Amino acid sequence: MNPAQKALWYIESHLAGPLTLDDIAGVAGVSRFHLVRAFASATGLSVMRYVRVRRLSQAAQALAGGAPDILSLALDSDYGSHEAFTRAFRDHFGVTPEAVRAASCLDHLRLQEPIV
């Protein structure tokens, strides 16, 4: 496996836990600088941007499924507050988490599926 594939495997299998660029680079067996370049070349995204949009996509799916507590989703997505999560969610999807929960629909959202 190349470093980008190792990084993707590690990210997807540890998405619920804390992830740092140094940890991911260590698993991939390269320096963080090499990983950043290799990952961007392979996926078109930076490493931590991929982590962020994967977590936001999972949160959006949970909200559409009727998750009652946005703060829990925010903390599970590694955001320190409801406000930070809502801002990141709105910046990425163009709607608030409350709107997704009320609509129970993901058709208009650009979710990031796992890259295999």
Side-chain angles (χ1 to χ4, degrees):
M1 279 200 294
N2 69 38
Q5 290 171 323
K6 289 178 184 177
L8 284 168
W9 168 82
Y10 184 75
I11 290 166
E12 291 301 330
S13 59
H14 295 86
L15 196 58
L19 289 170
T20 66
L21 187 56
D22 288 330
D23 292 341
I24 298 167
V27 168
V30 295
S31 72
R32 53 189 258 163
F33 304 106
H34 181 77
L35 177 64
V36 167
R37 289 188 295 275
F39 194 90
S41 175
T43 65
L45 296 167
S46 72
V47 178
M48 297 315 289
R49 176 151 179 83
Y50 178 76
V51 170
R52 187 171 37 255
V53 297
R54 282 289 297 129
R55 287 177 173 165
L56 288 172
S57 295
Q58 286 186 333
Q61 291 169 336
L63 287 166
D69 188 19
I70 294 174
L71 180 58
S72 296
L73 285 176
L75 297 175
D76 291 344
S77 298
D78 206 28
Y79 288 90
S81 68
H82 183 288
E83 178 187 1
F85 174 74
T86 299
R87 187 179 323 111
F89 195 94
R90 187 181 55 242
D91 288 347
H92 183 69
F93 294 119
V95 295
T96 63
E98 292 83 2
V100 171
R101 183 175 55 191
S104 299
C105 179
L106 297 172
D107 295 339
H108 58 285
L109 301 181
R110 20 174 249 269
L111 299 176
Q112 175 67 53
E113 297 298 326
I115 297 174
V116 290

